[in-house]
Structure formats: C-alpha cells, structure tokens
C-alpha cells in the first residue's frame, strides 16, 4: 500500500480562522478522498479530490467551506474555512488501493480543535 | 436508517476466547465489503476484504450474506492486541466507501 502523510498532525484554532491540511502520497494515485470523523462517530466522506478539475462534494459539504486542491497525482489539500467549534474533528485523507480500487488506505489524520 | 449499521459494543472478551459480531447494510447493489480496524486516535487500517464465499486470515474469519445483507467478523483466540474498534465498510460503487460507526472490542487478561 502507499505511504500517506498528513500535515499538520493536530492543531488548535480560533473560530473564524481557516486551516489548510496537506496530504502527500509516495506514489501516484488517481483517486484521493477527504473524510471527517467527529468524536465518537464513524467516517463521513467530504469529497473526492480530482486531479485537474474541481473536487466532487458529498451532500452536506460545499466548496466554500471545504475548498480542496489537487495539483498533481501525489498531493492534495483540504481547507477548513471560517471554522466554528462544530468543525472540531479528525480529518483524514485516503487513496485508492493499488490492487483494488474499492479498497482505500488512510493517512494518519489531522486532529483539529476549534475554540 | 443508516446505510451501514453495527452494534457499537463494547464486546468484552477474555483473552483466548472467540468473539463474533455483525453489521448490516442497506444498499443491495453494494459491490465490495471490508473490515477495517481502528485503534484509539489512529487512522483506520484495512483488516480484510469480505468475499461471498467467506474468507479467513489467520484468526480472523469474515462472512458475507448477500440475501440478508449482513457481514460478520469472527476473531478466534483473542489477543490483547485485538482490542480496537472494528469498522464495517461497504463499497456501493463509484470508488466510494460507506462506514459503519464501529464495534468496540476489549480483550481482557
């Protein structure tokens, strides 16, 4: 499986500010995804990061709040904009598996706390 | 109704015992099924895929029942290191995954 890193690993932010999370993969992958995992809950897909085009957002998530960049096949960023305490969560990027596009492998996550 | 439902547990299991738990899914057209393991404050990690014929990986056995739309995971000879949250994951297609909320397993000495 690919090696995936995320930066920052954690952050504490003030409400109203924005945070950009980076996801780096050690090999080229077609599909990259961004998830949110709120405390005590499972993962919710935010969007699919598409290389060379706009991200595809899931219901309940919008580009103005969660802008995503995907400049190449190994890197993506997710920005959490105009943060509120409700955005406190773990944000994870994932990539498709090399042998099966249905499997996904996850980065270590970014633990965000908004005060 | 949630798309993937799991008993949250916790399942408290003595070391060396067997534990089994299920999850149900709502989308009958789902194509692929997985169990992921998530340790506290860590990312989910793929434990095993689940095939229609059932499959085994060491002490772990997964079963899929398409007719009843449920997936099961059985852990034999439980180890302390098996303590984790087990996520049932369903792929409805299009490269997306749907996650259950997880079943917590606590293996005790």
């Amino acid at each position: 499986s690919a090696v995936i890193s995320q930066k920052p690993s954690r952050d504490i932010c003030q409400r109203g500010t924005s945070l950009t999370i980076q996801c780096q993969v050690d090999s080229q992958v077609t599909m990259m995804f961004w998830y949110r995992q709120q405390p005590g809950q499972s993962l919710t897909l935010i969007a699919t990061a598409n290389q060379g085009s706009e991200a595809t957002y899931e219901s309940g998530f919008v580009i103005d709040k969660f802008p995503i960049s995907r400049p190449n096949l190994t890197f993506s960023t997710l920005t959490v904009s105009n943060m509120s305490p409700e955005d406190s969560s773990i944000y994870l990027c994932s990539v498709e598996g090399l042998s099966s596009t249905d499997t996904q492998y996850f980065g270590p996550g970014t633990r965000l706390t908004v005060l | 109704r949630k798309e993937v439902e799991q008993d949250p547990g916790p399942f408290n299991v003595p070391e060396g015992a067997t534990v089994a738990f299920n999850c149900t899914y709502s989308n009958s057209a789902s194509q692929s099924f997985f169990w992921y393991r998530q340790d506290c404050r860590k990312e989910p990690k793929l434990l095993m895929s689940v095939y229609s014929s059932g499959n085994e990986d060491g002490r772990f056995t997964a079963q899929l029942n398409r007719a009843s739309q449920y997936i099961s995971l059985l852990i034999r000879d439980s180890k302390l290191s098996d303590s984790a949250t087990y996520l049932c994951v369903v792929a409805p297609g299009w490269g997306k995954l749907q996650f259950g909320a997880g079943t917590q397993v606590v293996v005790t000495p």
Side-chain angles (χ1 to χ4, degrees):
Chain A
S1 61
V3 176
I4 308 165
S5 60
Q6 282 186 237
K7 282 196 263 189
S9 59
R10 60 176 62 233
D11 208 341
I12 301 173
C13 302
Q14 297 295 326
R15 71 173 67 207
T17 63
S18 298
L19 176 72
T20 296
I21 302 167
Q22 298 179 7
C23 179
Q24 179 77 52
V25 191
D26 69 343
S27 57
Q28 293 187 337
V29 292
T30 302
M31 304 290 282
M32 290 182 77
F33 307 89
W34 286 99
Y35 289 82
R36 178 174 73 183
Q37 186 173 28
Q38 294 179 304
Q41 298 189 27
S42 194
L43 283 77
T44 301
L45 180 63
I46 297 171
T48 302
N50 303 308
Q51 195 268 330
S53 64
E54 196 170 278
T56 305
Y57 289 84
E58 297 300 303
S59 176
F61 298 97
V62 294
I63 188 171
D64 289 346
K65 176 67 176 176
F66 296 102
I68 287 171
S69 78
R70 179 87 194 271
N72 56 53
L73 293 176
T74 63
F75 185 79
S76 178
T77 67
L78 168 75
T79 299
V80 186
S81 303
N82 188 24
M83 289 184 285
S84 66
E86 293 71 35
D87 294 321
S88 297
S89 188
I90 300 172
Y91 292 86
L92 300 117
C93 69
S94 75
V95 304
E96 62 182 353
L98 296 177
S99 59
S100 167
T101 55
D102 273 345
T103 57
Q104 291 180 21
Y105 297 92
F106 287 84
T110 296
R111 184 176 297 273
L112 171 63
T113 302
V114 184
L115 302 177
Chain B
R1 183 186 172 190
K2 294 181 183 176
E3 291 158 330
V4 182
E5 298 212 47
Q6 293 183 251
D7 182 341
F11 285 68
N12 294 297
V13 186
E15 193 174 8
T18 295
V19 61
F21 41 89
N22 298 336
C23 94
T24 58
Y25 61 95
S26 61
N27 186 346
S28 60
S30 297
Q31 300 296 312
S32 304
F33 309 87
F34 310 93
W35 284 103
Y36 277 71
R37 171 195 170 126
Q38 187 171 28
D39 293 289
C40 187
R41 295 178 173 268
K42 299 283 189 181
E43 74 274 21
K45 293 185 178 176
L46 178 65
L47 179 65
M48 59 195 302
S49 301
V50 187
Y51 303 116
S52 296
S53 55
N55 50 299
E56 193 173 300
D57 183 0
R59 297 180 294 107
F60 298 83
T61 301
Q63 295 277 355
L64 166 63
N65 185 317
R66 283 190 183 271
S68 301
Q69 294 181 207
Y70 78 81
I71 306 152
S72 66
L73 181 67
L74 182 146
I75 307 173
R76 286 187 304 278
D77 187 23
S78 298
K79 311 291 185 190
L80 295 176
S81 57
D82 294 334
S83 297
T85 297
Y86 291 84
L87 305 175
C88 175
V89 182
V90 175
W94 322 291
K96 295 185 181 180
L97 297 181
Q98 295 170 334
F99 286 78
T103 296
Q104 186 182 8
V105 172
V106 179
V107 182
T108 56

